[in-house]
Structures are given as C-alpha cells and as structure tokens.
Amino acid sequence: MLVVGATFPREMADLRRAHPELSFLVPGIGSQGGDLDATLSAGLDARGAGLLISSSRGIIYAGGGAAESIREAAAELHTAINRRRADGQRVHRSA
C-alpha cells in the first residue's frame, strides 16, 4: 500500500500507472482541499477500486461535531464515491 495525498492527483495518476496492482491510502479529501473527482479519476484501478479514502476532518467536524451531521457527512461521501465509481465502470465498459 502506498500513501498518496488527494491534493496531488497528477502524481497519483503517475503512481497508478506505475503500480496498477497496489492499493493507495488517500488522505486529504475535504477539509485539506483534495478533490474527490480528481482523486478517483487519477487513482482508481482497472477494477474501479484500489483506494482507501480518508476524510477525517471533513467528517468528524461536520455540523460542529453533531452525531447526525457526522453520519450524514460520512453517508454523503460514501454515496459520492460509489456513484463516481459506477459512472467510471459504465464508461470503461462501453469504451
């Protein structure tokens, strides 16, 4: 596993090409400025997987740390990741 910051999508794409079989731990989505779409475009492997995305601050401080806000933030990120993965798989299959 490699640790690759979400704020470096170009480097992530280079690393994905060099290491298509490795998983990446990806900190930096959300509060640190990493872009989810750029991260997924650069880092997903051929199976539409291979990323362990961390958005700690963006989740634990959502809504001032209120439990319901934290749940919602985590669910929204989960949904966004899976929607983008599914979109990428449809594009990949039709190409």
Side-chain angles (χ1 to χ4, degrees), residues 5-8 27-39:
T7 54
F8 297 98
I29 292 293
S31 296
Q32 291 179 312
D35 179 80
L36 181 61
D37 285 336
T39 296

Side-chain angles (χ1 to χ4, degrees), residues 11-50:
E11 290 82 352
M12 183 180 297
D14 291 344
L15 288 167
R16 175 54 67 211
R17 282 188 293 278
H19 305 285
E21 74 292 346
L22 288 180
S23 293
F24 295 170
L25 171 61
V26 185
I29 292 293
S31 296
Q32 291 179 312
D35 179 80
L36 181 61
D37 285 336
T39 296
L40 295 171
S41 292
L44 286 174
D45 64 19
R47 299 170 296 132

Side-chain angles (χ1 to χ4, degrees), residues 4 6 25-36 39 51-62 69-70 72-78 80-81:
V4 185
L25 171 61
V26 185
I29 292 293
S31 296
Q32 291 179 312
D35 179 80
L36 181 61
T39 296
L51 299 177
L52 178 58
I53 296 173
S54 174
S55 179
S56 302
R57 279 188 263 166
I59 292 173
I60 64 173
Y61 295 122
S69 296
I70 292 170
E72 288 175 10
E76 287 172 9
L77 179 61
H78 182 260
I81 291 168

